[in-house]
Amino acid sequence: MAMTALRREGKRVSTLISSPNLRSSLAPSEEQVSFGVRSISTQIVRNRMKSVKSIQKITKAMKMVAASKLRAIQVRAENSRGLWQPFTALLGDTPSVDVKKNVIVTISSDKGLCGGINSTSVKMSRALHKLNAGPDKEGKYVILGEKAKAQLIRDSKKDIEISITELQKNPLNYTQVSVLADDILKNVEFDALRIVFNKFQSVVSYLPTTATILSPEVVEKEAEAGGKLGDLDSYEIEGGETKSEVLFNAVLENACSEQGARMSAMDSSSRNAGDMLDRLTLSYNRTRQASITTELIEIISGASALTG
């Protein structure tokens, strides 16, 4: 009898569930679905606005940090120009000299978010490597900086002689770069050392530059052939100290250009975030206003139906 009663109760419940009136009461109305969609939409916009505000705070902070670092490096970079530029002004640079062993020193940054400054150095380095290539010539890379290493290792891994990263982990000083220059001179054979860097001009401008350093043997050969290189003793021009001074200036100039490019990039990012935030705020206000208007219409319509 218990089983019979249970079957009878089950049939009654099944009949109630299959009733059209009950199904219509359980199913959500179009108005409820519409209200849910509007709520989700406004919530998504609010989340996006929160994310954009956080990104804008980060980019503004990074711009301020870059400005502080730039002021510290710029003075040293301008002072270092006087260490070697008088030689260049007197003797000129010799980028077109034809030698057998070319070593390209590519200077880049270890961190990104600084525009296309690193890509510019890599492109110039590749162009120099291709220009000085030949059946009886040898071209090698010495890389300073993680970003140039990441790009050049893809297609020129076998040509990379030395790779040094985290050069700017500590404040740059002459002793540090001098030790680095001595290491390059001891471990790399070259006829021409071509240093590729970005020369700082202003916060929004830098100039891709190549400084050429010739070995004493090539200097002597060029001097015998005639020209400005015969005016001074080769040691005075191409001594180890002079090489360190050129490399030190190149590293400082590139560091200044990096911070200036990062300032410009972060400023552009902050302004873009502000524009996006304005558009999201407008979209949020429109969606919220439409939701309020729809709810008012529903309330008024319901009140009219009750009184009518």
Side-chain angles (χ1 to χ4, degrees):
M1 292 181 65
M3 292 298 295
T4 304
L6 184 60
R7 290 194 190 95
R8 190 183 306 115
E9 187 66 20
K11 289 180 180 179
R12 188 176 68 84
V13 172
S14 176
T15 303
L16 286 172
I17 292 175
S18 61
S19 173
N21 294 332
L22 182 59
R23 283 204 305 267
S24 62
S25 63
L26 292 174
S29 63
E30 293 182 1
E31 289 81 2
Q32 290 173 329
V33 173
S34 178
F35 176 75
V37 170
R38 289 196 300 269
S39 299
I40 294 172
S41 177
T42 54
Q43 183 63 38
I44 290 173
V45 175
R46 277 200 301 268
N47 291 339
R48 289 192 64 187
M49 289 171 63
K50 186 177 179 180
S51 300
V52 172
K53 285 180 181 178
S54 299
I55 293 172
Q56 189 179 42
K57 289 180 181 178
I58 293 171
T59 55
K60 286 183 177 179
M62 290 184 68
K63 178 186 175 182
M64 294 176 64
V65 171
S68 177
K69 290 182 178 180
L70 176 62
R71 284 192 292 270
I73 300 172
Q74 186 176 356
V75 175
R76 285 187 292 161
E78 291 174 349
N79 292 336
S80 70
R81 292 173 184 172
L83 296 174
W84 67 276
Q85 283 190 352
F87 290 104
T88 305
L90 179 62
L91 304 175
D93 201 357
T94 53
S96 60
V97 64
D98 188 20
V99 295
K100 184 178 180 180
K101 295 180 180 180
N102 288 279
V103 175
I104 301 170
V105 182
T106 306
I107 301 177
S108 70
S109 66
D110 290 314
K111 299 179 181 179
L113 299 176
C114 51
I117 185 172
N118 296 313
S119 298
T120 302
S121 297
V122 171
K123 287 179 181 177
M124 179 175 286
S125 299
R126 283 174 174 159
L128 283 172
H129 189 273
K130 185 177 180 180
L131 183 65
N132 294 283
D136 58 340
K137 294 183 178 181
E138 182 181 354
K140 295 292 183 180
Y141 287 108
V142 172
I143 302 174
L144 307 182
E146 181 64 36
K147 293 302 177 180
K149 176 185 174 182
Q151 295 187 49
L152 289 173
I153 204 171
R154 299 171 189 168
D155 55 358
S156 306
K157 186 176 181 179
K158 61 182 179 62
D159 296 327
I160 298 176
E161 195 77 12
I162 298 175
S163 177
I164 300 172
T165 58
E166 297 186 355
L167 185 62
Q168 300 181 41
K169 188 174 182 179
N170 298 315
L172 293 169
N173 57 73
Y174 181 78
T175 303
Q176 176 187 7
V177 179
S178 180
V179 171
L180 178 61
D182 290 340
D183 187 40
I184 294 173
L185 294 176
K186 290 177 182 178
N187 295 286
V188 181
E189 294 184 3
F190 69 93
D191 293 329
L193 200 67
R194 307 181 190 276
I195 304 175
V196 179
F197 62 99
N198 294 282
K199 185 175 181 180
F200 179 77
Q201 292 186 316
S202 68
V203 175
V204 295
S205 176
Y206 55 88
L207 181 66
T209 306
T210 302
T212 306
I213 298 176
L214 303 177
S215 66
E217 295 79 9
V218 174
V219 170
E220 185 178 354
K221 181 180 176 181
E222 291 291 321
E224 290 175 356
K228 290 184 177 180
L229 289 178
D231 294 343
L232 291 179
D233 182 75
S234 61
Y235 176 78
E236 293 178 338
I237 305 169
E238 298 299 329
E241 293 182 358
T242 305
K243 293 182 177 67
S244 301
E245 291 164 359
V246 175
L247 186 61
F248 181 56
N249 175 258
V251 171
L252 286 176
E253 294 279 1
N254 199 81
C256 278
S257 301
E258 175 194 347
Q259 299 303 333
R262 183 170 286 115
M263 280 183 63
S264 298
M266 292 302 101
D267 182 62
S268 298
S269 299
S270 299
R271 284 189 279 106
N272 290 339
D275 294 339
M276 184 179 292
L277 192 59
D278 290 340
R279 292 195 297 270
L280 287 172
T281 303
L282 181 61
S283 175
Y284 173 77
N285 290 336
R286 284 179 176 175
T287 304
R288 185 167 174 271
Q289 187 64 41
S291 175
I292 294 171
T293 303
T294 304
E295 290 175 8
L296 288 174
I297 292 173
E298 291 171 356
I299 293 171
I300 294 170
S301 298
S304 299
L306 291 174
T307 56

